[in-house]
């Protein structure tokens, strides 16, 4: 007799939560509720041997414009721009100071070449003691970058240029700095991601600004990771830029091969005027990414190239 237990009922996988105000009204309460949801999903994430390192936890929220406007004083170019006219995101830099300096120095020229300008580079307050011993060994330096268009243009142009800038910066770190650990959890004019190799309860401790009442959002997506086909890593914590996922895509290898094979067929009006090369955004699928991250990479490209989100998901 095996009792009531059956292995068929095992459901070890990540946990996902979503909180929203259906009227679109931003408040700190939405963020607080989302963090509570995340902390109640501690059992859905995995822990390492030190009992303080998680597979990863994270939060996606709308950009808290008023909070950043008050806390980013050192703008390089005039007053803080209006919501939706700038992009921002966290930047995970390598702990090696020389490599981090090289990435920072590259940003201004790369932004200018992409049709953007760097408004500010902010040191993100973090509590290093909140992370576990194992997580600290891989802990990046966390900055936040703010960018805007050099010249006029709409939201669609801004979003696509932010994407090209991010891909070019990560490609520079990978190829020129010999795989320096440079990663942007998000770079967007609408949302921002806070995440790390943390347990759910550690997220608000590690990023103390998340407890500031001025950080407001109308939507919040949280994720507690149980890694399957990749090891835990700061960059592989979720949410990603477009999605959060709680399963395993077993066809991932074939999907990646098909995506790479089709890169030669890519075409878009953005790359026809000679200002940019398609190679700037290749490979679309980030090397050493998880199955969920690979899915996110492809979805992001489809949406930014003009498809609706439902169409791209189909």
């Amino acid at each position: 007799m095996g009792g009531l237990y059956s292995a068929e009922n095992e459901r070890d996988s990540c946990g996902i939560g979503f909180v929203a105000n259906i009227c679109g009204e931003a408040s700190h309460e939405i963020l607080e509720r989302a963090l509570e949801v995340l902390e109640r999903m501690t059992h859905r994430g995995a822990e390492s041997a030190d009992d303080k390192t998680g597979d990863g936890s994270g939060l996606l929220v709308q950009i808290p414009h008023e909070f950043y406007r008050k806390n980013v004083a050192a703008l390089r170019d005039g007053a803080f721009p209006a919501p939706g006219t700038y992009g921002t995101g966290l930047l995970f830099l390598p702990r090696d100071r020389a490599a981090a300096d090289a990435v920072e120095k590259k940003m201004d020229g790369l932004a200018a070449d992409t049709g953007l300008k760097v408004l500010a580079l902010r040191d993100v307050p973090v509590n290093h003691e909140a992370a576990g011993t194992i997580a600290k060994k891989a802990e990046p330096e966390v900055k936040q970058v703010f960018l805007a268009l050099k010249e006029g243009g709409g939201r669609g142009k801004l979003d696509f240029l932010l994407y090209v800038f991010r891909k070019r910066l990560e490609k520079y770190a990978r190829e020129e700095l010999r795989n320096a650990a440079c990663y942007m959890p998000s770079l967007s004019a609408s949302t921002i991601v806070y995440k790390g190799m943390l347990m759910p309860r550690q997220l608000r401790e590690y990023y103390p600004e998340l407890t500031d009442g001025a950080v407001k959002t109308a939507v919040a997506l949280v994720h507690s990771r149980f890694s399957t086909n990749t090891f835990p890593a700061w960059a592989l914590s979720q949410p990603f830029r477009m999605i959060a996922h709680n399963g395993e895509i077993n066809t991932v290898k074939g999907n990646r091969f098909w995506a790479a094979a089709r890169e030669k067929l890519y075409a878009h009006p953005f790359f026809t005027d000679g200002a940019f090369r398609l190679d700037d955004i290749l490979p679309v699928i980030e090397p050493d990414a998880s199955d969920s991250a690979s899915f996110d990479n492809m979805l992001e490209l489809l949406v930014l190239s003009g498809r609706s989100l439902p169409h791209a998901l189909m």
Side-chain angles (χ1 to χ4, degrees), residues 146-183:
F146 293 81
L147 301 117
L149 291 169
K150 258 198 319 186
E151 300 175 355
R155 177 65 177 274
K157 178 181 178 182
L158 174 60
D159 285 336
F160 207 94
L161 290 182
L162 291 171
Y163 173 70
V164 174
F165 169 81
R166 194 198 83 227
K167 295 291 285 187
R168 294 176 79 181
L169 184 66
E170 292 178 348
K171 192 170 188 176
Y172 164 76
R174 187 169 61 247
E175 295 181 357
E176 302 296 325
L177 300 180
R178 299 182 180 180
N179 286 318
C182 170
Y183 174 81

Side-chain angles (χ1 to χ4, degrees), residues 15-281:
I16 296 175
F18 183 71
V19 182
N21 180 295
I22 60 174
C23 297
E25 297 173 359
S27 68
H28 186 68
E29 182 187 6
I30 294 294
L31 174 56
E32 278 294 325
R33 287 189 177 190
L35 289 173
E36 182 182 357
V37 170
L38 177 64
E39 288 158 4
R40 288 175 181 267
M41 293 193 299
T42 297
H43 66 289
R44 302 299 294 177
E47 298 176 17
S48 195
D50 62 0
D51 291 330
K52 282 196 68 178
T53 296
D55 270 12
S57 296
L59 166 82
L60 179 148
V61 293
Q62 291 175 311
I63 291 173
H65 173 75
E66 287 302 317
F67 175 80
Y68 292 146
R69 186 177 65 81
K70 293 177 182 177
N71 286 276
V72 182
L75 280 182
R76 300 179 185 178
D77 187 13
F80 204 86
T85 65
Y86 67 94
T88 186
L90 300 192
L91 173 63
F92 288 175
L93 288 170
R95 300 300 292 185
D96 178 80
R97 191 63 256 167
D101 287 344
V103 171
E104 290 186 31
K105 289 176 182 176
K106 185 71 174 177
M107 290 176 67
D108 283 314
L110 201 55
D113 290 344
T114 311
L116 300 168
K117 55 186 177 182
V118 177
L119 300 177
L121 188 62
R122 169 184 179 243
D123 292 322
V124 177
V126 298
N127 175 13
H128 301 288
E129 296 308 309
T133 303
I134 297 171
K136 287 178 186 175
K137 292 179 180 178
E139 184 184 13
E141 181 180 355
V142 185
K143 300 268 190 176
Q144 183 180 10
V145 63
F146 293 81
L147 301 117
L149 291 169
K150 258 198 319 186
E151 300 175 355
R155 177 65 177 274
K157 178 181 178 182
L158 174 60
D159 285 336
F160 207 94
L161 290 182
L162 291 171
Y163 173 70
V164 174
F165 169 81
R166 194 198 83 227
K167 295 291 285 187
R168 294 176 79 181
L169 184 66
E170 292 178 348
K171 192 170 188 176
Y172 164 76
R174 187 169 61 247
E175 295 181 357
E176 302 296 325
L177 300 180
R178 299 182 180 180
N179 286 318
C182 170
Y183 174 81
M184 302 194 77
S186 63
L187 184 60
S188 168
S190 57
T191 59
I192 187 164
V193 172
Y194 287 83
K195 68 179 187 177
M197 211 163 110
L198 305 164
M199 296 173 65
R201 69 174 183 273
Q202 294 170 339
L203 189 67
R204 71 166 82 218
E205 298 172 14
Y206 189 80
Y207 294 108
E209 67 190 31
L210 294 178
T211 63
D212 192 306
V215 179
K216 299 178 181 180
T217 183
V219 296
L221 177 66
V222 292
H223 188 279
S224 176
R225 187 173 189 234
F226 190 105
S227 59
T228 50
N229 63 16
T230 49
F231 287 112
W234 283 79
L236 295 180
S237 304
Q238 297 190 45
F240 290 115
R241 298 159 190 132
M242 300 287 293
I243 65 145
H245 180 237
N246 72 330
E248 183 170 325
I249 304 172
N250 293 312
T251 58
V252 62
K253 194 170 184 178
N255 293 348
R256 288 170 179 156
F257 285 154
W258 274 115
R262 287 170 177 149
E263 285 177 353
K264 298 299 181 183
L265 303 176
Y266 287 172
H268 191 277
F270 192 83
F271 296 101
T272 59
D273 60 4
F276 301 99
R277 298 176 303 118
L278 193 57
D279 283 349
D280 289 337
I281 65 169

